[in-house]
Amino acid sequence: MHFTSEQRLDDGVLEREFTLGEIPGTLWTPESAAPAAPAPLILMAHNNGLPKAEPRLVARARHTAARGYAVATIDAAGCGGRPRSAADEQARADLRRAMQAGEPVDEIFESFIGPLVEKAVPEWRTTLDTLLALPEIGGPVGYSGWTALGIRLAVVEPRIAAVGFFAGGFVPSAQREEARQVTVPLLFLLQWDDEGNPRQRALDLFDAFGTKEKTLHANLGGHTGTPWFEVEDGGRFFDRHLK
């Protein structure tokens, strides 16, 4: 891991940009993080591989770090500043065309998001290995954000002890099947009027999760309308399971 920049923010959080091979990422750590008192870690990913610099993710990350956590995010392959393959570009073009024409988009999402998850999971696990080797970061580990990626990570990565998922992102069929294997404590956020995510499909996914400790928070409003108090509630959820 190579740190390329760092700055101390107004809330005392240290923000550092890093590269890990071809993977660009950002790490936020609280003032209290030190080898003598390593901070628990939360991996934070935005829905469907949107860039790590997306303002809503950055705001959540800074708030969570100020609460006493190390928080890390990376750009998935083909997302953010990383180059896109011809297949990526075609899938995005097909999606834009279908949405503008009012055509069904689930099949396009399936062909786009499924491979994105398959590529992203090994990179997140490599990132996790490297972050846990830093003296100021310790376990346990939580995950927050992109549901499709989080399901796969929760199934294959035993170091993840609790997860918070946002229901707004498309979840491929493979991850819907894997949801039954998710057994760690789970907080699921649903926007009741999300124009791109049918409510019943999200409720069916919540029902499918195999964990015996799962909580659903549903709020009125569209896709980007998740109230800020859910960040506070999410912090209390992670406090219960990671501290």
Side-chain angles (χ1 to χ4, degrees):
M1 176 178 284
H2 175 62
F3 288 106
T4 57
S5 70
E6 69 173 58
Q7 61 175 326
R8 182 71 64 177
L9 305 174
D10 292 342
D11 49 12
V13 171
L14 179 63
E15 179 183 86
R16 286 176 283 178
E17 299 291 329
F18 66 83
T19 57
L20 183 58
E22 298 179 352
I23 307 168
T26 308
L27 174 64
W28 295 266
T29 48
E31 287 183 300
S32 59
L41 173 64
I42 294 179
L43 305 177
M44 194 169 285
H46 202 12
N47 272 344
N48 296 344
L50 288 175
K52 64 183 180 64
E54 207 283 332
R56 287 175 295 157
L57 184 146
V58 172
R60 288 193 294 118
R62 289 183 57 174
H63 180 87
T64 304
R67 197 180 180 97
Y69 294 94
V71 182
T73 189
I74 63 174
D75 275 338
C79 300
R82 299 182 69 178
R84 297 176 181 173
S85 67
D88 289 336
E89 294 287 9
Q90 185 61 53
R92 291 172 188 268
D94 290 345
L95 183 60
R96 286 193 297 270
R97 179 196 56 76
M99 292 179 72
Q100 290 169 359
E103 298 173 357
V105 295
D106 279 7
E107 187 173 334
I108 300 173
F109 265 128
E110 186 80 31
S111 64
F112 173 49
I113 301 301
L116 196 60
V117 170
E118 295 296 335
K119 294 175 187 175
V121 167
E123 294 190 341
W124 277 94
R125 298 188 77 184
T126 296
T127 302
L128 177 57
D129 291 340
T130 305
L131 290 170
L132 289 179
L134 297 176
E136 68 269 32
I137 298 177
V141 179
Y143 172 90
S144 174
W146 180 14
T147 300
L149 172 66
I151 290 172
R152 173 61 61 82
L153 281 174
V155 170
V156 304
E157 182 47 73
R159 291 172 291 186
I160 292 179
V163 294
F165 292 156
F166 288 71
F170 181 84
V171 179
S173 57
Q175 278 67 64
R176 289 182 174 277
E177 288 297 320
E178 287 178 320
R180 305 180 191 284
Q181 302 175 50
V182 174
T183 57
V184 296
L186 180 148
L187 175 63
F188 196 54
L189 301 184
L190 169 63
Q191 284 303 101
W192 203 244
D193 309 300
D194 192 331
E195 57 278 11
N197 183 40
R199 184 186 307 163
Q200 191 58 52
R201 184 162 63 188
L203 294 173
D204 290 344
L205 179 61
F206 178 75
D207 190 51
F209 288 121
T211 179
K212 289 181 169 47
E213 186 173 344
K214 54 184 175 180
T215 301
L216 173 68
H217 285 188
N219 290 282
L220 297 178
H223 183 71
T224 60
T226 304
W228 181 255
F229 64 71
E230 289 292 1
V231 177
E232 295 282 356
D233 285 349
R236 288 188 284 272
F237 166 79
F238 284 118
D239 288 349
R240 290 196 300 273
H241 300 291
L242 302 183
K243 287 186 175 180

